[in-house]
Amino acid sequence: MKRVVSVIRVIPLTQRIFLIGFAWLMVLGVYINNLRYTPHGRLTLRSAIIRQWLDDEPASWTKRQLIDRRARAHGDVYELEPIAARKTIQLPNCKVHLFKPTHSGRPLPVIIAYHGGGFFYDFVPMAEAYYRHLANQTGFLVVAPDYRVAPEHPFPAATNDSYETFKWVLANIAREDGDPARIAVWGDSAGGNLAAVVTQKARDEGLTDAIDLQILVYPAVDMYSEESESFRKFGVGYILSQASMEFIRNVYTAGADCRNPEISPLLHKNFGQLPPCLLVTAEFDPLHDQAIAYAKRLEKAGIEVHHREFKGMLHGFVGPVDVFPHANDRFMEMAVEFLSVLKTKKRG
């Protein structure tokens, strides 16, 4: 030890500072890399850091805290991509936002995009930024409803607004340079729930051919059982906690029967005559297994399903483009490829 100290003493001060700094960087690197390891596999580096930064247990949330979190989200600032046009239309119960891509022909194929956010976030700035990006990347006209949210407006407000938006698109989108004969629905998390509900309801009302494709991103399709292997593995410490989901479910449903397929579309008895589906899951997501169960129900009914799993990722990675750029790029490539069939579909 004395020999080591003697060697250090004869090293010039600047080199000593460099060596100490390098040693600390090595220690920090080892620490950060170790964050990736969990009892259930390895997270991506960004997911591991986000998990440490954002992880909380909101079992003690109140309705007031949900409203406050939503208000704070409206103060977030995002860089907005330029698009050809941005328009807001007031429907009887909600607003609908339209995003036209910078480069595309006319009329435009349409994506009806239902945003996520636990049924208590409304149309926050992150959704604005992402749907501009979605329009430019796909070349589709993006129609995004600002559906009513809990706790002020529990079920069935969100589902009613979502379906109202779909019916409005069928009747009016041609006036906005959209093509009512080329429609896809898209939704992530809570929005995936709404997209699935709208698709099933359209089928049930005889509008089987009105929706060509559905893209469901880690959808919340079972609000009733909430029992699965992924719930047990990832229900604590992986951003989306089981405690928070139970609290939000109770706020959203306000005592309604969660076996209702308009709350839990996985529990619908009929999965036939639904459009092809691109279903995206995150490996470290408590909703993972219910999404897989939904895909299996579709496949059993003869529906074309394209399942893509993002290894090492947490729930909520689609949308924050600056936080998860590579994952979002990969997802967008998949979505564009899946949607390409509507680019060449004959209209009308």
Side-chain angles (χ1 to χ4, degrees), residues 179-199:
D179 187 352
R182 294 184 293 165
I183 295 175
V185 295
W186 183 97
D188 63 296
S189 194
N193 173 292
L194 296 172
V197 168
V198 167
T199 305

Side-chain angles (χ1 to χ4, degrees), residues 191-225:
N193 173 292
L194 296 172
V197 168
V198 167
T199 305
Q200 291 180 352
K201 193 169 182 177
R203 184 274 320 278
D204 292 345
E205 294 192 358
L207 299 172
T208 301
D209 298 327
I211 299 174
D212 295 281
L213 302 171
Q214 54 180 324
I215 298 178
L216 307 179
V217 185
Y218 34 73
V221 288
D222 185 359
M223 305 282 280
Y224 175 67
S225 64

Side-chain angles (χ1 to χ4, degrees), residues 159-189:
T159 55
N160 289 344
D161 294 353
S162 297
Y163 197 68
E164 178 186 11
T165 299
F166 163 68
K167 295 295 289 289
W168 177 86
V169 166
L170 292 185
N172 299 280
I173 204 63
R175 291 199 290 265
E176 307 296 336
D177 291 332
D179 187 352
R182 294 184 293 165
I183 295 175
V185 295
W186 183 97
D188 63 296
S189 194

Side-chain angles (χ1 to χ4, degrees), residues 16-269:
R16 272 187 274 171
I17 293 173
F18 172 80
L19 289 173
I20 292 171
F22 180 76
W24 274 109
L25 285 175
M26 291 291 291
V27 171
L28 181 61
V30 170
Y31 170 74
I32 292 175
N33 189 59
N34 285 342
L35 293 179
R36 300 178 61 188
Y37 292 90
T38 79
H40 311 295
R42 192 167 67 169
L43 293 157
T44 67
L45 181 58
R46 286 177 182 264
S47 292
I49 294 171
I50 292 294
R51 178 191 179 205
Q52 293 296 316
W53 178 38
L54 289 182
D55 186 38
D56 57 13
E57 288 297 327
S60 60
W61 280 1
T62 64
K63 292 181 180 181
R64 180 71 254 170
Q65 286 172 309
L66 292 185
I67 295 171
D68 289 344
R69 288 173 72 96
R70 182 201 309 156
R72 289 196 298 272
H74 277 282
D76 294 340
V77 178
Y78 293 86
E79 184 176 352
L80 300 181
E81 292 184 23
I83 54 176
R86 163 72 162 83
K87 184 176 183 180
T88 297
I89 296 172
Q90 180 67 56
L91 302 188
N93 293 304
C94 70
K95 294 179 180 178
V96 175
H97 306 294
L98 277 62
F99 303 88
K100 290 184 181 179
T102 52
H103 301 291
S104 188
R106 300 289 189 275
L108 294 162
V110 178
I111 294 174
I112 307 176
Y114 300 100
H115 66 81
F119 301 102
F120 72 91
Y121 278 111
D122 57 2
F123 198 82
V124 297
M126 186 175 75
E128 171 81 23
Y130 190 73
Y131 290 149
R132 286 171 174 258
H133 180 68
L134 181 64
N136 282 337
Q137 292 296 309
T138 61
F140 279 53
L141 172 63
V142 174
V143 179
D146 189 359
Y147 56 84
R148 289 170 293 169
V149 293
E152 301 94 329
H153 304 284
F155 174 83
T159 55
N160 289 344
D161 294 353
S162 297
Y163 197 68
E164 178 186 11
T165 299
F166 163 68
K167 295 295 289 289
W168 177 86
V169 166
L170 292 185
N172 299 280
I173 204 63
R175 291 199 290 265
E176 307 296 336
D177 291 332
D179 187 352
R182 294 184 293 165
I183 295 175
V185 295
W186 183 97
D188 63 296
S189 194
N193 173 292
L194 296 172
V197 168
V198 167
T199 305
Q200 291 180 352
K201 193 169 182 177
R203 184 274 320 278
D204 292 345
E205 294 192 358
L207 299 172
T208 301
D209 298 327
I211 299 174
D212 295 281
L213 302 171
Q214 54 180 324
I215 298 178
L216 307 179
V217 185
Y218 34 73
V221 288
D222 185 359
M223 305 282 280
Y224 175 67
S225 64
E226 294 195 343
E227 288 294 334
S228 66
E229 186 66 20
S230 62
F231 260 89
R232 287 187 286 273
K233 286 181 178 178
F234 310 124
V236 176
Y238 292 87
I239 303 299
L240 186 62
S241 73
Q242 192 164 2
S244 66
M245 287 185 286
E246 182 176 354
F247 176 76
I248 292 169
R249 176 190 63 185
N250 291 337
V251 170
Y252 170 62
T253 60
D257 187 350
C258 290
R259 292 171 295 185
N260 182 340
E262 291 195 9
I263 295 176
S264 299
L266 177 63
L267 304 185
H268 202 294
K269 295 181 179 180

